[in-house]
């Protein structure tokens, strides 16, 4: 609500009065919507100082290292709940009762299979396609198979689509992996948890029984929880922008997947593993640490610090505990994991890292966990997409519940002024 006013003074013109809005948490914001009618627009590349929407879902305070989902701290959710419980909270705003959760879990579990013709769709892709390309394409193609509930103005249709996306995303993700290996698709099992079902579809074959390790199951569940939503990031903003036109939800989520694919967003943990591969062995770490400290060197340590969190990443604390649980369980001896652990030790003790607050972030630890579990780097961002699907759905749903207006950013034009055209082509 507006409680105060900001006065914009322009030379030679009357002052412009703007409302100052206050949320339940966070900094106050100046409402600049009226500027357009007065012939002015704000210039904010990347929207770093612009709130594009009002939301009740997720709150971040980067300076204090706070991340809340519907008011619940992320570390409490990661330690005390399951991914599906977090999904319920993000969608509905409140923690479920036992009865509500059982109904929700049953609905998700019983919609994990995909239309059988979708399995044939995969065969139109090359075997060496990146799994994110497959996930992006197949998710967008869902609209051709589940077109019975695509009226975005129908609340029941939005609910049906939300369950379909949440339920089927792990299935399509696992199929993308199996297709790249030339292995048969593994169908979902309703007796397994959300995380265990995904791991089973990833690693089991028809040849022999596969049992999901409970430590790996819990690790995967936490990875999903810690990546479920992160406020108005690039991919979530993309989903909202696509959705603002009234596009079908499968197209919107596909757009979100495409945005997530970028190395500056969802590809960060994949980039982190590539960095560890470049370093190679523990004895080379000092050389790379010095390079990282050199402003004139192009080398950057991936997985340290965060664009939003200026202190510590609250997700990283839980992910660090999980990382060490997994490595302890697997008793692995691996050069890259040894490099990662030594880098972690240095980052937590070296004055340079401490002064600049370059702590290991969630991408650093999740990349190590996924590698230890035997998941290839090409699947890292795919798993991120599985987790973030619920965040995208929650924001897409909220946008329709609150009322939408099509996104139409302005620009600062710096091209030619109007000029006459004369062809340079010879006409015969």
């Amino acid at each position: 609500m507006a409680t105060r006013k900001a006065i914009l003074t322009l030379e030679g013109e009357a002052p412009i009065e703007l409302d100052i809005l206050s949320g339940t948490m966070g900094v106050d914001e100046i409402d600049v919507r009226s500027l357009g009618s007065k012939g002015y627009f704000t210039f904010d590349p990347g929207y770093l100082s612009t709130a594009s929407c009002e939301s009740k879902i997720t709150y971040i305070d980067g300076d204090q290292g706070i991340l809340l989902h519907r008011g619940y701290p992320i570390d409490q959710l990661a330690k005390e709940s399951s991914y599906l419980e977090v999904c319920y909270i993000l969608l509905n705003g409140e923690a479920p009762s036992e009865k509500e959760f059982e109904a929700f879990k049953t609905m998700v579990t019983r919609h994990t299979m995909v239309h059988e013709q979708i399995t044939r769709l995969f065969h139109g892709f090359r075997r060496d396609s990146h799994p994110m390309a497959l996930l992006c394409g197949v998710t967008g193609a869902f609209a051709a198979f589940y077109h019975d509930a695509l009226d975005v103005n129908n609340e029941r249709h939005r609910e049906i689509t939300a369950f379909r996306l949440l339920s089927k995303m792990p299935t399509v993700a696992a199929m993308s992996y199996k297709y790249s290996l030339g292995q048969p698709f593994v169908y979902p099992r309703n007796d397994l948890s959300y995380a265990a079902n995904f791991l089973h579809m990833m690693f089991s074959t028809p040849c022999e029984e596969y049992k999901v390790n409970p430590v790996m199951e819990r690790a995967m569940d936490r990875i999903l929880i810690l990546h479920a939503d992160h406020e108005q990031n690039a991919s979530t903003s993309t989903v909202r922008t696509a959705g603002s036109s009234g596009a079908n939800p499968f197209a919107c989520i596909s757009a979100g997947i495409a945005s997530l694919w970028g190395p500056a967003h969802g590809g960060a943990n994949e980039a982190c593993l590539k960095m560890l591969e470049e370093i190679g062995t523990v004895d080379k770490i000092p050389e790379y640490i010095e390079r990282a400290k050199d402003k004139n060197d192009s080398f950057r340590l991936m997985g340290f610090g965060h664009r939003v969190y200026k202190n510590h990443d609250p997700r990283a604390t839980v992910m660090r505990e999980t990382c060490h649980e997994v490595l302890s369980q697997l008793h692995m001896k691996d050069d890259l994991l040894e490099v990662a652990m030594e880098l972690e030790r240095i980052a937590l003790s070296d004055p340079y890292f401490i002064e600049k607050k370059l702590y290991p972030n969630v991408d650093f630890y999740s990349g190590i966990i996924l590698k230890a579990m035997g998941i290839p780097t090409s699947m890292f961002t795919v798993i991120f997409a599985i987790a973030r699907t619920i965040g995208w759905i929650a924001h897409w749903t909220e946008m329709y519940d609150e009322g939408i207006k099509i996104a139409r950013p302005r620009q600062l034009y710096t091209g030619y002024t109007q000029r006459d055209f004369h062809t340079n082509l010879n006409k015969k």
Side-chain angles (χ1 to χ4, degrees):
M1 298 295 292
T3 56
R4 295 179 295 145
K5 301 289 184 180
I7 307 299
L8 176 63
T9 303
L10 302 171
E11 186 176 352
E13 297 187 24
I16 299 174
E17 195 173 80
L18 303 170
D19 289 335
I20 298 177
L21 307 178
S22 298
T24 54
M25 296 182 73
V27 299
D28 291 342
E29 298 176 4
I30 299 173
D31 186 348
V32 298
R33 286 175 290 182
S34 63
L35 285 180
S37 63
K38 303 180 188 303
Y40 294 97
F41 298 100
T42 58
F43 181 65
D44 184 23
Y47 310 114
L48 301 184
S49 299
T50 300
S52 61
C53 65
E54 182 180 316
S55 180
K56 299 179 177 69
I57 298 171
T58 295
Y59 173 76
I60 296 173
D61 185 328
D63 293 331
Q64 299 298 319
I66 294 172
L67 172 59
L68 307 177
H69 291 331
R70 302 289 191 178
Y72 299 114
I74 189 63
D75 58 329
Q76 293 180 19
L77 292 173
K79 293 178 180 179
E80 304 295 333
S81 69
S82 67
Y83 176 66
L84 284 186
E85 189 174 4
V86 172
C87 289
Y88 184 98
I89 290 169
L90 287 173
L91 277 178
N92 298 289
E94 299 293 340
S97 66
E98 189 170 337
K99 183 178 179 180
E100 289 169 334
F101 180 66
E102 285 304 313
F104 181 82
K105 184 171 69 173
T106 299
M107 183 67 75
V108 172
T109 302
R110 291 183 177 172
H111 286 82
T112 50
M113 288 186 65
V114 297
H115 195 291
E116 188 62 22
Q117 282 183 273
I118 290 176
T119 63
R120 302 175 199 167
L121 189 62
F122 278 92
H123 297 283
F125 295 97
R126 286 174 52 125
R127 285 282 181 190
D128 57 357
S129 300
H130 194 288
M132 280 294 282
L134 302 182
L135 188 69
C136 189
V138 174
T139 301
F142 272 173
F145 294 89
Y146 303 108
H147 47 69
D148 58 322
L150 291 183
D151 182 357
V152 294
N153 297 308
N154 184 311
E155 186 176 353
R156 177 57 179 160
H157 281 201
R158 296 199 298 270
E159 182 182 5
I160 291 170
T161 302
F163 277 112
R164 282 174 170 167
L165 281 162
L166 179 58
S167 301
K168 300 178 192 305
M169 195 62 72
T171 307
V172 174
M175 285 180 167
S176 299
Y177 175 62
K178 288 296 191 184
Y179 183 73
S180 68
L181 295 178
Q183 292 184 4
F185 297 137
V186 176
Y187 289 88
R189 277 178 42 181
N190 290 354
D191 61 320
L192 298 176
S193 72
Y194 193 88
N197 189 33
F198 172 64
L199 290 173
H200 186 268
M201 289 188 290
M202 281 278 292
F203 295 119
S204 65
T205 69
C207 305
E208 57 187 43
E209 185 179 3
Y210 173 83
K211 289 187 177 180
V212 179
N213 183 315
V215 175
M216 304 304 111
E217 176 184 355
R218 181 57 180 154
M220 179 56 68
D221 196 64
R222 280 187 173 175
I223 286 175
L224 296 177
I225 290 172
L226 295 173
H227 290 84
D229 190 51
H230 210 235
E231 205 225 54
Q232 303 306 316
N233 52 81
S235 58
T236 299
S237 298
T238 299
V239 171
R240 278 184 174 266
T241 298
S244 74
S245 72
N248 78 75
F250 300 118
C252 296
I253 300 302
S254 181
I257 293 170
S259 178
L260 185 72
W261 195 353
H265 190 8
N269 51 13
E270 185 173 348
C272 181
L273 256 292
K274 289 179 179 178
M275 175 201 71
L276 295 178
E277 290 171 353
E278 180 181 347
I279 296 174
T281 56
V282 171
D283 61 289
K284 293 182 179 179
I285 290 179
E287 171 194 341
Y288 281 89
I289 291 292
E290 290 307 311
R291 289 184 61 188
K293 294 177 180 180
D294 185 353
K295 294 180 180 179
N296 297 318
D297 196 307
S298 61
F299 175 76
R300 293 291 180 269
L301 280 176
M302 305 299 294
F304 294 83
H306 194 278
R307 182 180 181 183
V308 173
Y309 299 108
K310 306 307 179 187
N311 195 329
H312 72 282
D313 183 341
R315 302 168 298 172
T317 304
V318 179
M319 201 82 277
R320 181 178 187 271
E321 295 175 9
T322 305
C323 178
H324 287 278
E325 287 173 9
V326 169
L327 296 181
S328 176
Q329 171 73 19
L330 296 177
H331 304 290
M332 292 190 68
K333 187 75 174 176
D334 184 282
D335 285 344
L336 294 191
L337 296 179
E338 289 185 7
V339 170
M341 291 299 96
E342 178 61 12
L343 274 176
E344 179 201 35
R345 186 193 67 77
I346 293 172
L348 296 177
S349 60
D350 189 306
Y352 174 85
F353 287 88
I354 295 172
E355 180 185 341
K356 294 188 174 296
K357 298 180 179 179
L358 293 175
Y359 304 112
N361 60 34
V362 69
D363 298 310
F364 178 79
Y365 290 115
S366 64
I368 296 170
I369 293 171
L370 293 174
K371 174 175 172 52
M373 293 170 73
I375 294 173
T377 55
S378 62
M379 283 294 294
F380 286 8
T381 315
V382 173
I383 291 170
F384 196 156
I386 297 173
R388 187 54 57 85
T389 294
I390 188 59
W392 294 332
I393 294 169
H395 283 274
W396 178 83
T397 301
E398 180 183 62
M399 182 176 63
Y400 275 96
D401 290 342
E402 299 293 330
I404 63 170
K405 188 172 185 179
I406 188 168
R408 180 58 172 87
R410 308 299 300 195
Q411 66 173 16
L412 177 65
Y413 179 70
T414 57
Y416 288 109
T417 57
Q418 183 172 322
R419 53 181 178 161
D420 294 329
F421 172 75
H422 301 285
T423 183
N424 295 317
L425 304 180
N426 292 322
K427 293 183 178 180
K428 295 181 180 180

